[in-house]
Amino acid sequence: MQIARGLKALRTRAELTQSEVAKRAGVSVGTVNRYETWQDRAKLRIPTVRALADTCGASPQELEALVRLVRNQENGWWMDHPAVPEVMDPLMSFEDVAGYEHVFANALVPGLLQTPRYALALHEAQNVRTEADVIASKVDARLKRQAILERSPALHLWVVLDDAVLRRCVGSTDVMAEQIDHLQSMAQRPNVDVQVLQFTAGAHAAGSGGHFLILGRDDEGDPLNSMNVVYLELHKRGLYLDAPADVQSYKLMFDYLRSQAADTSASLRAVP
């Protein structure tokens, strides 16, 4: 998605058509279109990205940014992990380069903040009749994803939890007690903020909408190195949005949710 937007921006800046780029880069028009529309994401190749970017006059910095994105999607641990569905591959790639992640969770604790026992209880409930080793692999993938919070520079995670997330008993009371303790502990980190949208707040900006994430990285000096993507979590699949109007709409929604939720200090005190 970010690679596609970057290549299209370079071509637009160079005032070239897809046919002109294809001829100069020695590829088909279909290849140019596929790379610019994010089709067959797993088939993107560094030599082709280099050829397209060079043809459009990319600077060394712009070229390196695009190549880095392709390497991330090819070499990330998630690409070969059997428990990571293909629809999650882009999310992992985006998280790997994002500066911040904003999450609204209306039903369950977000994956980046789940304890092993909470994650296990969720997968056991969601994957009925699934073998234990398969479920264990799914939990392993979720815990590996959490390593993004340990990187340097740190990813800034800001989460708004609906009150229902804390009231729903997942696993057992012991599992929930451990999970809530973990939330309180994680919220003490400088790169993690947790707010609770209490029932007493009434109707809120998300309305009947569900779990969503906003991933971003801002670079005013190099717009091609910036990123803004929304991920909507659906049953058995996900939906990615990167059109500026869509992203701005979700950013505004999240800002309202933050204002409607208890502040971070009050939220920790409000956790049952």
Side-chain angles (χ1 to χ4, degrees):
M1 186 177 293
Q2 190 179 0
I3 297 169
R5 187 173 290 279
L7 289 172
K8 187 174 182 179
L10 288 172
R11 181 175 62 78
T12 300
R13 187 180 69 189
E15 298 182 341
L16 296 172
T17 65
Q18 288 189 346
S19 295
E20 290 171 330
V21 171
K23 184 176 181 180
R24 297 182 188 186
V27 300
S28 68
V29 176
T31 295
V32 177
N33 183 65
R34 178 167 62 83
Y35 273 62
E36 287 190 4
T37 55
W38 203 52
Q39 299 172 21
D40 301 327
R41 180 195 53 76
K43 297 180 181 178
L44 300 186
R45 295 291 181 262
I46 289 177
T48 304
V49 169
R50 283 187 180 277
L52 296 177
D54 281 338
T55 297
C56 296
S59 69
Q61 294 78 16
E62 291 169 337
L63 182 57
E64 177 56 31
L66 289 170
V67 170
R68 185 172 65 249
L69 288 171
V70 179
R71 286 197 178 114
N72 283 347
Q73 75 164 34
E74 288 181 341
N75 301 325
W77 64 265
W78 53 88
M79 297 299 293
D80 297 319
H81 199 293
V84 178
E86 185 175 341
V87 71
M88 291 291 287
D89 288 346
L91 177 60
M92 305 293 193
S93 297
F94 292 141
E95 281 184 338
D96 199 48
V97 297
Y100 63 84
E101 180 170 330
H102 295 165
V103 184
F104 171 63
N106 68 328
L108 304 169
V109 173
L112 289 179
L113 295 177
Q114 291 176 9
T115 65
R117 290 207 297 164
Y118 184 96
L120 176 61
L122 279 182
H123 282 299
E124 288 177 337
Q126 295 169 354
N127 299 278
V128 181
R129 300 180 182 177
T130 300
E131 295 179 358
D133 60 335
V134 175
I135 291 178
S137 182
K138 291 178 180 290
V139 173
D140 175 71
R142 184 152 300 181
L143 298 181
K144 280 187 175 179
R145 179 183 162 210
Q146 295 175 359
I148 198 70
L149 295 175
E150 309 294 338
R151 77 169 195 212
S152 180
L155 173 78
H156 186 189
L157 177 66
W158 196 311
V159 176
V160 175
L161 299 173
D162 190 280
D163 224 343
V165 174
L166 303 174
R167 310 279 177 184
R168 182 181 301 280
C169 185
V170 173
S172 67
T173 54
D174 286 344
V175 170
M176 284 305 298
E178 180 183 63
Q179 177 63 71
I180 290 171
D181 284 346
H182 182 64
L183 284 173
Q184 292 175 323
S185 175
M186 293 297 291
Q188 301 296 333
R189 294 190 178 194
N191 64 314
V192 178
D193 289 291
V194 178
Q195 290 181 264
V196 177
L197 184 61
Q198 298 174 318
F199 287 145
T200 54
H204 53 76
S208 60
H211 190 115
F212 69 83
L213 292 74
I214 305 170
L215 298 114
R217 182 183 65 221
D218 300 320
D219 187 342
E220 295 181 0
D222 183 4
L224 283 179
N225 198 37
S226 297
M227 176 187 73
N228 285 284
V229 178
V230 174
Y231 173 70
L232 306 180
E233 191 164 282
L234 308 174
H235 183 61
K236 299 295 185 182
R237 60 185 294 264
L239 179 64
Y240 295 90
L241 307 173
D242 74 335
D246 290 331
V247 172
Q248 185 56 37
S249 176
Y250 275 89
K251 282 186 172 182
L252 182 61
M253 186 191 308
F254 191 77
D255 285 341
Y256 277 118
L257 289 168
R258 285 192 290 197
S259 70
Q260 293 168 324
D263 64 37
T264 51
S265 297
S267 292
L268 291 178
R269 294 194 298 270
V271 173

